Amino acid sequence: MMRTARKTQFVAIAAAMVATISPQISVACPFCSAPSLTMTEQVAQNDLVILVKWVDATRPPTRERPADEALGEVSLRAGVAPGNARELARTVFEIVDVLKGPAGDFKKGQQVTLPQYRAAKKGDLFLLLGLKGVTIDWNTPLEFTEAAWTYVTSAPPPDQPTTERLKYFLEYLEFPDQDVANDAYGEFANAPYEDITPLADELPRERLRKWVASNDTPVTRLGLYGLLLGLCGTEDDARLLERKITEPTEEFRLGIDGIMGGYLILTGQQGLDLIDSTKLASKHQVGPDGKPVLDKDGKPLGVPFSETYAAMQALRFMWQYGEDRISQDRLRQSMRTLLDRPELSDLVIADLARWKDWSVQEKLIGLYDQEGYDIPSIKRAIVRYLLACTKDRPESASDETPEHVAQAEKHLADLRAKDPKIVRDAERFYFPD
């Protein structure tokens, strides 16, 4: 039951992580979660992009306000017959500016009527996006501001080099207009990490430091800001990130994985020692003085599952992107620490297999039937680890079989005789990298 509860908790956390990093491939910023489409992508995908202001709207008929009554108000102006009550819903806008549209079809001052009701006040601004076919397929009008219009009309298009584009959006992070700030964040969240790192010398270090430290910063952006501060920061910034990491907590902290990633970029192995002692090796939280943090009842405060998982994500990030800031052997050492946590061990075993850490082969065999590990998901992970190990052979068939390969083949043969169903299930869904 406890195992099931922990697994359920993990699924919830993994889904919520705004920045979870794939163990192998990260197409975008490793610690960010972006909107499905940014403004520039929406502009590129639509034929019409128009800024309009609200003029008037007609409500559709309701039970309290029958069609005949509604028709009496607008029938002369709209030319709608009583039998067409459904066509009454409409909103009239006046064009303020045109970014994109068929030449001559839409001009400033011209009115556009949409067959839908949109409540607003006279003069309120909206963004209209549409696709032009036989008729125009309009999207739902989006509330907009002049600042957002200036932002989107000046933004570089998606087909320009990503690093160059990000220089523009960098200036709009934490912009007062939240729609603009969210969109600028989205551009970074969609960007590959390799396209972000060249900006290190241009990043606004002081502003990033302020945003990371502030309780007013949206938590969804903290992972990105922590990562960026790691790319451009100093020893003082490393201490700030360390304080954030070691803050006592009983809650799930969105973005703490990115803060850990930025911290490890700045501090290397020394920082990993701290992550080990506070998040990976210890099951209880430790304060800056090195003493256990106590809860309201005077008992040691446990390390939340989400904090340990975030530390795992930071290890994966450094393995993929750290450029030897921390040696691979040292990263393996930290990951091995988590084998003592049954609730994480199947994930850890998969990472160690990808990282070709064959040093734990005998330990895994010893865990196979051990209490807490004696469940199908962990057993299948161990079998897949052994399968991966058997594939780690020299390129030349004439070379001697390595000892770790021979050991893995022997253990696999033993498990096939002892637990054939588990081995079959593991082999069925084994996809070597």
Side-chain angles (χ1 to χ4, degrees), residues 185-206:
Y185 164 81
E187 290 285 351
F188 273 87
N190 284 337
Y193 178 72
E194 295 91 339
D195 291 333
I196 296 175
T197 53
L199 294 171
D201 293 338
E202 301 186 43
L203 294 174
R205 174 184 164 267
E206 289 295 336

mmCIF file with all atom_site columns, all heavy atoms in Angstrom, residues 185-206:
data_model
loop_
_atom_site.group_PDB
_atom_site.id
_atom_site.type_symbol
_atom_site.label_atom_id
_atom_site.label_alt_id
_atom_site.label_comp_id
_atom_site.label_asym_id
_atom_site.label_entity_id
_atom_site.label_seq_id
_atom_site.pdbx_PDB_ins_code
_atom_site.Cartn_x
_atom_site.Cartn_y
_atom_site.Cartn_z
_atom_site.occupancy
_atom_site.B_iso_or_equiv
_atom_site.pdbx_formal_charge
_atom_site.auth_seq_id
_atom_site.auth_comp_id
_atom_site.auth_asym_id
_atom_site.auth_atom_id
_atom_site.pdbx_PDB_model_num
ATOM 1   N N   . TYR A 1 185 ? 8.726  34.298 -21.652 1.00 0.00 ? 185 TYR A N   1
ATOM 2   C CA  . TYR A 1 185 ? 9.159  33.079 -20.959 1.00 0.00 ? 185 TYR A CA  1
ATOM 3   C C   . TYR A 1 185 ? 8.949  31.861 -21.851 1.00 0.00 ? 185 TYR A C   1
ATOM 4   O O   . TYR A 1 185 ? 9.811  30.980 -21.934 1.00 0.00 ? 185 TYR A O   1
ATOM 5   C CB  . TYR A 1 185 ? 8.374  32.918 -19.652 1.00 0.00 ? 185 TYR A CB  1
ATOM 6   C CG  . TYR A 1 185 ? 8.464  31.523 -19.086 1.00 0.00 ? 185 TYR A CG  1
ATOM 7   C CD1 . TYR A 1 185 ? 9.568  31.116 -18.357 1.00 0.00 ? 185 TYR A CD1 1
ATOM 8   C CD2 . TYR A 1 185 ? 7.454  30.589 -19.327 1.00 0.00 ? 185 TYR A CD2 1
ATOM 9   C CE1 . TYR A 1 185 ? 9.664  29.822 -17.864 1.00 0.00 ? 185 TYR A CE1 1
ATOM 10  C CE2 . TYR A 1 185 ? 7.542  29.296 -18.831 1.00 0.00 ? 185 TYR A CE2 1
ATOM 11  C CZ  . TYR A 1 185 ? 8.645  28.922 -18.104 1.00 0.00 ? 185 TYR A CZ  1
ATOM 12  O OH  . TYR A 1 185 ? 8.734  27.638 -17.633 1.00 0.00 ? 185 TYR A OH  1
ATOM 13  N N   . GLY A 1 186 ? 7.805  31.818 -22.529 1.00 0.00 ? 186 GLY A N   1
ATOM 14  C CA  . GLY A 1 186 ? 7.508  30.695 -23.411 1.00 0.00 ? 186 GLY A CA  1
ATOM 15  C C   . GLY A 1 186 ? 8.528  30.534 -24.523 1.00 0.00 ? 186 GLY A C   1
ATOM 16  O O   . GLY A 1 186 ? 8.854  29.411 -24.916 1.00 0.00 ? 186 GLY A O   1
ATOM 17  N N   . GLU A 1 187 ? 9.050  31.639 -25.031 1.00 0.00 ? 187 GLU A N   1
ATOM 18  C CA  . GLU A 1 187 ? 10.080 31.555 -26.076 1.00 0.00 ? 187 GLU A CA  1
ATOM 19  C C   . GLU A 1 187 ? 11.335 30.877 -25.534 1.00 0.00 ? 187 GLU A C   1
ATOM 20  O O   . GLU A 1 187 ? 11.964 30.063 -26.219 1.00 0.00 ? 187 GLU A O   1
ATOM 21  C CB  . GLU A 1 187 ? 10.409 32.952 -26.607 1.00 0.00 ? 187 GLU A CB  1
ATOM 22  C CG  . GLU A 1 187 ? 9.298  33.597 -27.425 1.00 0.00 ? 187 GLU A CG  1
ATOM 23  C CD  . GLU A 1 187 ? 9.158  32.998 -28.824 1.00 0.00 ? 187 GLU A CD  1
ATOM 24  O OE1 . GLU A 1 187 ? 10.037 32.190 -29.222 1.00 0.00 ? 187 GLU A OE1 1
ATOM 25  O OE2 . GLU A 1 187 ? 8.187  33.347 -29.520 1.00 0.00 ? 187 GLU A OE2 1
ATOM 26  N N   . PHE A 1 188 ? 11.713 31.193 -24.299 1.00 0.00 ? 188 PHE A N   1
ATOM 27  C CA  . PHE A 1 188 ? 12.871 30.541 -23.689 1.00 0.00 ? 188 PHE A CA  1
ATOM 28  C C   . PHE A 1 188 ? 12.560 29.080 -23.371 1.00 0.00 ? 188 PHE A C   1
ATOM 29  O O   . PHE A 1 188 ? 13.403 28.201 -23.547 1.00 0.00 ? 188 PHE A O   1
ATOM 30  C CB  . PHE A 1 188 ? 13.290 31.281 -22.419 1.00 0.00 ? 188 PHE A CB  1
ATOM 31  C CG  . PHE A 1 188 ? 14.237 32.415 -22.677 1.00 0.00 ? 188 PHE A CG  1
ATOM 32  C CD1 . PHE A 1 188 ? 13.754 33.673 -22.993 1.00 0.00 ? 188 PHE A CD1 1
ATOM 33  C CD2 . PHE A 1 188 ? 15.601 32.218 -22.627 1.00 0.00 ? 188 PHE A CD2 1
ATOM 34  C CE1 . PHE A 1 188 ? 14.621 34.724 -23.244 1.00 0.00 ? 188 PHE A CE1 1
ATOM 35  C CE2 . PHE A 1 188 ? 16.484 33.263 -22.883 1.00 0.00 ? 188 PHE A CE2 1
ATOM 36  C CZ  . PHE A 1 188 ? 15.993 34.523 -23.188 1.00 0.00 ? 188 PHE A CZ  1
ATOM 37  N N   . ALA A 1 189 ? 11.348 28.838 -22.906 1.00 0.00 ? 189 ALA A N   1
ATOM 38  C CA  . ALA A 1 189 ? 10.977 27.466 -22.553 1.00 0.00 ? 189 ALA A CA  1
ATOM 39  C C   . ALA A 1 189 ? 10.978 26.560 -23.772 1.00 0.00 ? 189 ALA A C   1
ATOM 40  O O   . ALA A 1 189 ? 11.268 25.365 -23.669 1.00 0.00 ? 189 ALA A O   1
ATOM 41  C CB  . ALA A 1 189 ? 9.600  27.457 -21.890 1.00 0.00 ? 189 ALA A CB  1
ATOM 42  N N   . ASN A 1 190 ? 10.658 27.097 -24.936 1.00 0.00 ? 190 ASN A N   1
ATOM 43  C CA  . ASN A 1 190 ? 10.655 26.310 -26.172 1.00 0.00 ? 190 ASN A CA  1
ATOM 44  C C   . ASN A 1 190 ? 12.037 26.169 -26.795 1.00 0.00 ? 190 ASN A C   1
ATOM 45  O O   . ASN A 1 190 ? 12.224 25.373 -27.716 1.00 0.00 ? 190 ASN A O   1
ATOM 46  C CB  . ASN A 1 190 ? 9.727  26.964 -27.201 1.00 0.00 ? 190 ASN A CB  1
ATOM 47  C CG  . ASN A 1 190 ? 8.265  26.728 -26.898 1.00 0.00 ? 190 ASN A CG  1
ATOM 48  O OD1 . ASN A 1 190 ? 7.908  25.775 -26.216 1.00 0.00 ? 190 ASN A OD1 1
ATOM 49  N ND2 . ASN A 1 190 ? 7.401  27.603 -27.393 1.00 0.00 ? 190 ASN A ND2 1
ATOM 50  N N   . ALA A 1 191 ? 12.997 26.953 -26.324 1.00 0.00 ? 191 ALA A N   1
ATOM 51  C CA  . ALA A 1 191 ? 14.315 26.990 -26.967 1.00 0.00 ? 191 ALA A CA  1
ATOM 52  C C   . ALA A 1 191 ? 15.206 25.858 -26.493 1.00 0.00 ? 191 ALA A C   1
ATOM 53  O O   . ALA A 1 191 ? 15.240 25.551 -25.290 1.00 0.00 ? 191 ALA A O   1
ATOM 54  C CB  . ALA A 1 191 ? 14.991 28.330 -26.683 1.00 0.00 ? 191 ALA A CB  1
ATOM 55  N N   . PRO A 1 192 ? 15.941 25.205 -27.382 1.00 0.00 ? 192 PRO A N   1
ATOM 56  C CA  . PRO A 1 192 ? 16.921 24.198 -26.954 1.00 0.00 ? 192 PRO A CA  1
ATOM 57  C C   . PRO A 1 192 ? 17.973 24.817 -26.040 1.00 0.00 ? 192 PRO A C   1
ATOM 58  O O   . PRO A 1 192 ? 18.374 25.968 -26.231 1.00 0.00 ? 192 PRO A O   1
ATOM 59  C CB  . PRO A 1 192 ? 17.541 23.731 -28.282 1.00 0.00 ? 192 PRO A CB  1
ATOM 60  C CG  . PRO A 1 192 ? 16.528 24.069 -29.323 1.00 0.00 ? 192 PRO A CG  1
ATOM 61  C CD  . PRO A 1 192 ? 15.865 25.325 -28.851 1.00 0.00 ? 192 PRO A CD  1
ATOM 62  N N   . TYR A 1 193 ? 18.401 24.052 -25.066 1.00 0.00 ? 193 TYR A N   1
ATOM 63  C CA  . TYR A 1 193 ? 19.392 24.563 -24.113 1.00 0.00 ? 193 TYR A CA  1
ATOM 64  C C   . TYR A 1 193 ? 20.655 25.025 -24.833 1.00 0.00 ? 193 TYR A C   1
ATOM 65  O O   . TYR A 1 193 ? 21.269 26.032 -24.451 1.00 0.00 ? 193 TYR A O   1
ATOM 66  C CB  . TYR A 1 193 ? 19.717 23.476 -23.092 1.00 0.00 ? 193 TYR A CB  1
ATOM 67  C CG  . TYR A 1 193 ? 20.770 23.878 -22.095 1.00 0.00 ? 193 TYR A CG  1
ATOM 68  C CD1 . TYR A 1 193 ? 20.483 24.801 -21.096 1.00 0.00 ? 193 TYR A CD1 1
ATOM 69  C CD2 . TYR A 1 193 ? 22.054 23.332 -22.148 1.00 0.00 ? 193 TYR A CD2 1
ATOM 70  C CE1 . TYR A 1 193 ? 21.446 25.179 -20.175 1.00 0.00 ? 193 TYR A CE1 1
ATOM 71  C CE2 . TYR A 1 193 ? 23.017 23.702 -21.230 1.00 0.00 ? 193 TYR A CE2 1
ATOM 72  C CZ  . TYR A 1 193 ? 22.712 24.624 -20.246 1.00 0.00 ? 193 TYR A CZ  1
ATOM 73  O OH  . TYR A 1 193 ? 23.674 24.996 -19.337 1.00 0.00 ? 193 TYR A OH  1
ATOM 74  N N   . GLU A 1 194 ? 21.031 24.325 -25.874 1.00 0.00 ? 194 GLU A N   1
ATOM 75  C CA  . GLU A 1 194 ? 22.241 24.684 -26.618 1.00 0.00 ? 194 GLU A CA  1
ATOM 76  C C   . GLU A 1 194 ? 22.142 26.072 -27.249 1.00 0.00 ? 194 GLU A C   1
ATOM 77  O O   . GLU A 1 194 ? 23.162 26.713 -27.517 1.00 0.00 ? 194 GLU A O   1
ATOM 78  C CB  . GLU A 1 194 ? 22.525 23.656 -27.726 1.00 0.00 ? 194 GLU A CB  1
ATOM 79  C CG  . GLU A 1 194 ? 22.846 22.270 -27.220 1.00 0.00 ? 194 GLU A CG  1
ATOM 80  C CD  . GLU A 1 194 ? 21.607 21.397 -27.089 1.00 0.00 ? 194 GLU A CD  1
ATOM 81  O OE1 . GLU A 1 194 ? 20.496 21.970 -27.004 1.00 0.00 ? 194 GLU A OE1 1
ATOM 82  O OE2 . GLU A 1 194 ? 21.740 20.168 -27.066 1.00 0.00 ? 194 GLU A OE2 1
ATOM 83  N N   . ASP A 1 195 ? 20.919 26.549 -27.490 1.00 0.00 ? 195 ASP A N   1
ATOM 84  C CA  . ASP A 1 195 ? 20.738 27.887 -28.061 1.00 0.00 ? 195 ASP A CA  1
ATOM 85  C C   . ASP A 1 195 ? 20.640 28.956 -26.987 1.00 0.00 ? 195 ASP A C   1
ATOM 86  O O   . ASP A 1 195 ? 20.694 30.155 -27.297 1.00 0.00 ? 195 ASP A O   1
ATOM 87  C CB  . ASP A 1 195 ? 19.473 27.919 -28.926 1.00 0.00 ? 195 ASP A CB  1
ATOM 88  C CG  . ASP A 1 195 ? 19.614 27.100 -30.202 1.00 0.00 ? 195 ASP A CG  1
ATOM 89  O OD1 . ASP A 1 195 ? 20.753 26.942 -30.672 1.00 0.00 ? 195 ASP A OD1 1
ATOM 90  O OD2 . ASP A 1 195 ? 18.604 26.602 -30.710 1.00 0.00 ? 195 ASP A OD2 1
ATOM 91  N N   . ILE A 1 196 ? 20.482 28.550 -25.740 1.00 0.00 ? 196 ILE A N   1
ATOM 92  C CA  . ILE A 1 196 ? 20.417 29.507 -24.626 1.00 0.00 ? 196 ILE A CA  1
ATOM 93  C C   . ILE A 1 196 ? 21.818 29.820 -24.097 1.00 0.00 ? 196 ILE A C   1
ATOM 94  O O   . ILE A 1 196 ? 22.133 30.968 -23.772 1.00 0.00 ? 196 ILE A O   1
ATOM 95  C CB  . ILE A 1 196 ? 19.533 28.950 -23.491 1.00 0.00 ? 196 ILE A CB  1
ATOM 96  C CG1 . ILE A 1 196 ? 18.089 28.795 -23.975 1.00 0.00 ? 196 ILE A CG1 1
ATOM 97  C CG2 . ILE A 1 196 ? 19.575 29.860 -22.272 1.00 0.00 ? 196 ILE A CG2 1
ATOM 98  C CD1 . ILE A 1 196 ? 17.164 28.147 -22.961 1.00 0.00 ? 196 ILE A CD1 1
ATOM 99  N N   . THR A 1 197 ? 22.684 28.816 -24.034 1.00 0.00 ? 197 THR A N   1
ATOM 100 C CA  . THR A 1 197 ? 24.003 29.003 -23.413 1.00 0.00 ? 197 THR A CA  1
ATOM 101 C C   . THR A 1 197 ? 24.850 30.093 -24.066 1.00 0.00 ? 197 THR A C   1
ATOM 102 O O   . THR A 1 197 ? 25.602 30.769 -23.353 1.00 0.00 ? 197 THR A O   1
ATOM 103 C CB  . THR A 1 197 ? 24.784 27.675 -23.399 1.00 0.00 ? 197 THR A CB  1
ATOM 104 O OG1 . THR A 1 197 ? 24.833 27.125 -24.727 1.00 0.00 ? 197 THR A OG1 1
ATOM 105 C CG2 . THR A 1 197 ? 24.106 26.670 -22.485 1.00 0.00 ? 197 THR A CG2 1
ATOM 106 N N   . PRO A 1 198 ? 24.780 30.324 -25.394 1.00 0.00 ? 198 PRO A N   1
ATOM 107 C CA  . PRO A 1 198 ? 25.598 31.403 -25.960 1.00 0.00 ? 198 PRO A CA  1
ATOM 108 C C   . PRO A 1 198 ? 25.233 32.798 -25.454 1.00 0.00 ? 198 PRO A C   1
ATOM 109 O O   . PRO A 1 198 ? 25.987 33.747 -25.674 1.00 0.00 ? 198 PRO A O   1
ATOM 110 C CB  . PRO A 1 198 ? 25.330 31.291 -27.472 1.00 0.00 ? 198 PRO A CB  1
ATOM 111 C CG  . PRO A 1 198 ? 24.903 29.881 -27.689 1.00 0.00 ? 198 PRO A CG  1
ATOM 112 C CD  . PRO A 1 198 ? 24.121 29.536 -26.457 1.00 0.00 ? 198 PRO A CD  1
ATOM 113 N N   . LEU A 1 199 ? 24.099 32.915 -24.768 1.00 0.00 ? 199 LEU A N   1
ATOM 114 C CA  . LEU A 1 199 ? 23.667 34.214 -24.261 1.00 0.00 ? 199 LEU A CA  1
ATOM 115 C C   . LEU A 1 199 ? 24.271 34.546 -22.905 1.00 0.00 ? 199 LEU A C   1
ATOM 116 O O   . LEU A 1 199 ? 23.953 35.595 -22.329 1.00 0.00 ? 199 LEU A O   1
ATOM 117 C CB  . LEU A 1 199 ? 22.140 34.245 -24.125 1.00 0.00 ? 199 LEU A CB  1
ATOM 118 C CG  . LEU A 1 199 ? 21.314 34.173 -25.411 1.00 0.00 ? 199 LEU A CG  1
ATOM 119 C CD1 . LEU A 1 199 ? 19.845 34.003 -25.079 1.00 0.00 ? 199 LEU A CD1 1
ATOM 120 C CD2 . LEU A 1 199 ? 21.534 35.430 -26.241 1.00 0.00 ? 199 LEU A CD2 1
ATOM 121 N N   . ALA A 1 200 ? 25.131 33.677 -22.375 1.00 0.00 ? 200 ALA A N   1
ATOM 122 C CA  . ALA A 1 200 ? 25.608 33.821 -20.994 1.00 0.00 ? 200 ALA A CA  1
ATOM 123 C C   . ALA A 1 200 ? 26.120 35.231 -20.692 1.00 0.00 ? 200 ALA A C   1
ATOM 124 O O   . ALA A 1 200 ? 25.815 35.806 -19.636 1.00 0.00 ? 200 ALA A O   1
ATOM 125 C CB  . ALA A 1 200 ? 26.699 32.788 -20.701 1.00 0.00 ? 200 ALA A CB  1
ATOM 126 N N   . ASP A 1 201 ? 26.896 35.812 -21.602 1.00 0.00 ? 201 ASP A N   1
ATOM 127 C CA  . ASP A 1 201 ? 27.484 37.127 -21.347 1.00 0.00 ? 201 ASP A CA  1
ATOM 128 C C   . ASP A 1 201 ? 26.467 38.260 -21.457 1.00 0.00 ? 201 ASP A C   1
ATOM 129 O O   . ASP A 1 201 ? 26.771 39.388 -21.060 1.00 0.00 ? 201 ASP A O   1
ATOM 130 C CB  . ASP A 1 201 ? 28.642 37.385 -22.323 1.00 0.00 ? 201 ASP A CB  1
ATOM 131 C CG  . ASP A 1 201 ? 29.823 36.461 -22.068 1.00 0.00 ? 201 ASP A CG  1
ATOM 132 O OD1 . ASP A 1 201 ? 29.936 35.947 -20.931 1.00 0.00 ? 201 ASP A OD1 1
ATOM 133 O OD2 . ASP A 1 201 ? 30.623 36.246 -22.999 1.00 0.00 ? 201 ASP A OD2 1
ATOM 134 N N   . GLU A 1 202 ? 25.301 37.977 -22.011 1.00 0.00 ? 202 GLU A N   1
ATOM 135 C CA  . GLU A 1 202 ? 24.294 39.025 -22.190 1.00 0.00 ? 202 GLU A CA  1
ATOM 136 C C   . GLU A 1 202 ? 23.137 38.911 -21.213 1.00 0.00 ? 202 GLU A C   1
ATOM 137 O O   . GLU A 1 202 ? 22.218 39.730 -21.222 1.00 0.00 ? 202 GLU A O   1
ATOM 138 C CB  . GLU A 1 202 ? 23.757 38.995 -23.630 1.00 0.00 ? 202 GLU A CB  1
ATOM 139 C CG  . GLU A 1 202 ? 24.842 39.186 -24.674 1.00 0.00 ? 202 GLU A CG  1
ATOM 140 C CD  . GLU A 1 202 ? 24.271 39.300 -26.080 1.00 0.00 ? 202 GLU A CD  1
ATOM 141 O OE1 . GLU A 1 202 ? 23.262 40.008 -26.248 1.00 0.00 ? 202 GLU A OE1 1
ATOM 142 O OE2 . GLU A 1 202 ? 24.840 38.678 -26.994 1.00 0.00 ? 202 GLU A OE2 1
ATOM 143 N N   . LEU A 1 203 ? 23.157 37.906 -20.365 1.00 0.00 ? 203 LEU A N   1
ATOM 144 C CA  . LEU A 1 203 ? 22.058 37.707 -19.429 1.00 0.00 ? 203 LEU A CA  1
ATOM 145 C C   . LEU A 1 203 ? 22.060 38.788 -18.350 1.00 0.00 ? 203 LEU A C   1
ATOM 146 O O   . LEU A 1 203 ? 23.131 39.193 -17.869 1.00 0.00 ? 203 LEU A O   1
ATOM 147 C CB  . LEU A 1 203 ? 22.168 36.328 -18.776 1.00 0.00 ? 203 LEU A CB  1
ATOM 148 C CG  . LEU A 1 203 ? 21.984 35.143 -19.718 1.00 0.00 ? 203 LEU A CG  1
ATOM 149 C CD1 . LEU A 1 203 ? 22.270 33.831 -18.986 1.00 0.00 ? 203 LEU A CD1 1
ATOM 150 C CD2 . LEU A 1 203 ? 20.574 35.116 -20.295 1.00 0.00 ? 203 LEU A CD2 1
ATOM 151 N N   . PRO A 1 204 ? 20.882 39.259 -17.933 1.00 0.00 ? 204 PRO A N   1
ATOM 152 C CA  . PRO A 1 204 ? 20.784 40.325 -16.923 1.00 0.00 ? 204 PRO A CA  1
ATOM 153 C C   . PRO A 1 204 ? 20.965 39.759 -15.516 1.00 0.00 ? 204 PRO A C   1
ATOM 154 O O   . PRO A 1 204 ? 19.998 39.520 -14.795 1.00 0.00 ? 204 PRO A O   1
ATOM 155 C CB  . PRO A 1 204 ? 19.368 40.870 -17.145 1.00 0.00 ? 204 PRO A CB  1
ATOM 156 C CG  . PRO A 1 204 ? 18.591 39.693 -17.643 1.00 0.00 ? 204 PRO A CG  1
ATOM 157 C CD  . PRO A 1 204 ? 19.551 38.880 -18.461 1.00 0.00 ? 204 PRO A CD  1
ATOM 158 N N   . ARG A 1 205 ? 22.209 39.581 -15.113 1.00 0.00 ? 205 ARG A N   1
ATOM 159 C CA  . ARG A 1 205 ? 22.502 38.885 -13.862 1.00 0.00 ? 205 ARG A CA  1
ATOM 160 C C   . ARG A 1 205 ? 21.785 39.494 -12.661 1.00 0.00 ? 205 ARG A C   1
ATOM 161 O O   . ARG A 1 205 ? 21.185 38.772 -11.851 1.00 0.00 ? 205 ARG A O   1
ATOM 162 C CB  . ARG A 1 205 ? 24.016 38.896 -13.624 1.00 0.00 ? 205 ARG A CB  1
ATOM 163 C CG  . ARG A 1 205 ? 24.401 38.330 -12.270 1.00 0.00 ? 205 ARG A CG  1
ATOM 164 C CD  . ARG A 1 205 ? 25.887 38.422 -11.975 1.00 0.00 ? 205 ARG A CD  1
ATOM 165 N NE  . ARG A 1 205 ? 26.108 38.224 -10.555 1.00 0.00 ? 205 ARG A NE  1
ATOM 166 C CZ  . ARG A 1 205 ? 26.173 39.209 -9.668  1.00 0.00 ? 205 ARG A CZ  1
ATOM 167 N NH1 . ARG A 1 205 ? 26.043 40.459 -10.062 1.00 0.00 ? 205 ARG A NH1 1
ATOM 168 N NH2 . ARG A 1 205 ? 26.363 38.950 -8.388  1.00 0.00 ? 205 ARG A NH2 1
ATOM 169 N N   . GLU A 1 206 ? 21.847 40.802 -12.512 1.00 0.00 ? 206 GLU A N   1
ATOM 170 C CA  . GLU A 1 206 ? 21.232 41.429 -11.337 1.00 0.00 ? 206 GLU A CA  1
ATOM 171 C C   . GLU A 1 206 ? 19.725 41.204 -11.312 1.00 0.00 ? 206 GLU A C   1
ATOM 172 O O   . GLU A 1 206 ? 19.137 40.946 -10.248 1.00 0.00 ? 206 GLU A O   1
ATOM 173 C CB  . GLU A 1 206 ? 21.546 42.931 -11.315 1.00 0.00 ? 206 GLU A CB  1
ATOM 174 C CG  . GLU A 1 206 ? 22.993 43.266 -10.991 1.00 0.00 ? 206 GLU A CG  1
ATOM 175 C CD  . GLU A 1 206 ? 23.380 42.844 -9.577  1.00 0.00 ? 206 GLU A CD  1
ATOM 176 O OE1 . GLU A 1 206 ? 22.483 42.718 -8.720  1.00 0.00 ? 206 GLU A OE1 1
ATOM 177 O OE2 . GLU A 1 206 ? 24.585 42.635 -9.333  1.00 0.00 ? 206 GLU A OE2 1
#
